[in-house]
Amino acid sequence: VNFPLNYDSLHGFHFFPPKQKQDPESHHHLLDDAEAKSNEELTKLAENGKWIPAEKLDEINFQRAMAGQPFLRLPYGSFEDDADELEKLQDRAAYDFKYMAKSFSKYLNICKDKDERENFVKMINGARPSEAEQAKSKKELGEWFTDYLIAQGYWIENDPMMMKQMIVNSFPMMEGKGEITSENIRDRITQFMRVVAKHAQAADKEAEHHKSSLALLSKQAVTRTNSKLKKTQ
């Protein structure tokens, strides 16, 4: 690993963190880009498999539901297309998790009133894409997930029982399962917020681990360099 170092006669070599480069594909850049686009433009991007921020997707889908239109059915694409961009996927998903964990409380507020809650449930159930569209997502997710497992070294043909239980452990059952009712909507929202909050916390830990690893590597590089310098003096 190459680190930028600076030397002075009193303290030897010092590590200088590399300047952050503006990645045009990072969520930071794409957030600014999304603000400059209309919802119609963002909808086209999302339908073509491009990432748009969760708050924009939430806004678009809410407007569609209010207008009696179905939520957008976004394609999963293939794992092959994502294989070399998993860090970007992680970066964008981390942002979305944090948004969902905090913002969905607004829907809990809607559900405080019984009449508003019933209207809200009727609206979102009516906005779910058709069964045919759901079947497309089911197939796409299944293929993406399986291809991911294989790429990470799992032999999916060896022990179905263990593989099934690993999936069950990773995805807790949602309140009411697939059906959203006036009785379970608040518990459903709360549970969803807990799930995404857990993933948001995991993303923060991963980012902190990456930062700590970089700091450790830089410290080791400085120590080795100063050690070599002393030997030559």
Side-chain angles (χ1 to χ4, degrees):
V1 180
N2 294 319
F3 296 96
L5 299 173
N6 191 48
Y7 176 77
D8 68 63
S9 58
L10 291 177
H11 303 98
F13 282 94
H14 302 273
F15 168 68
F16 278 76
K19 293 182 179 180
Q20 293 293 326
K21 295 182 179 179
Q22 177 69 329
D23 181 359
E25 293 297 314
S26 73
H27 81 263
H28 300 286
H29 180 86
L30 293 176
L31 283 173
D32 294 336
D33 190 48
E35 288 297 330
K37 285 184 167 57
S38 67
N39 282 355
E40 289 75 17
E41 292 174 308
L42 292 173
T43 295
K44 289 181 180 178
L45 286 173
E47 290 178 329
N48 287 325
K50 301 297 183 181
W51 179 79
I52 65 172
E55 70 264 37
K56 289 294 183 180
L57 181 60
D58 189 28
E59 176 186 324
I60 290 170
N61 275 332
F62 190 79
Q63 291 177 357
R64 289 175 65 88
M66 290 284 288
Q69 298 175 323
F71 294 140
L72 295 178
R73 207 268 325 167
L74 306 184
Y76 278 89
S78 68
F79 173 74
E80 183 180 4
D81 291 338
D82 291 333
D84 295 330
E85 299 191 344
L86 292 182
E87 285 189 7
K88 293 176 183 177
L89 185 154
Q90 183 183 44
D91 171 63
R92 297 166 187 173
Y95 177 84
D96 287 348
F97 285 139
K98 292 173 185 177
Y99 166 79
M100 292 292 189
K102 294 179 180 179
S103 70
F104 263 46
S105 58
K106 65 187 177 185
Y107 295 125
L108 284 176
N109 290 330
I110 292 176
C111 292
K112 287 180 179 179
D113 180 82
K114 183 176 183 295
D115 290 337
E116 287 191 29
R117 182 168 69 249
E118 290 178 350
N119 289 333
F120 181 62
V121 168
K122 182 178 179 181
M123 182 184 75
I124 60 175
N125 280 332
R128 192 170 185 188
S130 68
E131 290 187 5
E133 291 291 282
Q134 293 176 41
K136 290 179 184 178
S137 291
K138 180 179 177 180
K139 182 175 185 297
E140 291 171 2
L141 172 59
E143 291 178 353
W144 196 100
F145 184 50
T146 303
D147 289 343
Y148 169 80
L149 290 175
I150 293 171
Q152 304 311 306
Y154 290 92
W155 289 16
I156 62 172
E157 69 277 11
N158 276 12
D159 194 330
M161 290 299 104
M162 288 178 59
M163 186 61 67
K164 289 176 184 178
Q165 189 57 43
M166 288 167 66
I167 295 172
V168 169
N169 290 343
S170 300
F171 296 92
M173 184 183 75
M174 300 301 290
E175 180 70 29
K177 297 186 178 179
E179 183 181 6
I180 296 178
T181 67
S182 179
E183 288 71 32
N184 70 24
I185 180 68
R186 287 172 292 188
D187 289 339
R188 184 72 173 258
I189 293 172
T190 302
Q191 183 182 17
F192 177 74
M193 290 174 65
R194 284 201 300 266
V195 169
V196 293
K198 181 178 179 181
H199 285 284
Q201 291 169 3
D204 284 340
K205 288 181 180 179
E206 180 65 24
E208 186 61 32
H209 174 72
H210 179 75
K211 183 179 178 181
S212 299
S213 297
L214 180 61
L216 177 61
L217 287 171
S218 67
K219 183 178 180 180
Q220 291 173 342
V222 170
T223 300
R224 287 195 299 270
T225 303
N226 284 329
S227 178
K228 291 179 180 178
L229 180 63
K230 290 179 181 179
K231 289 180 180 179
T232 60
Q233 291 176 343

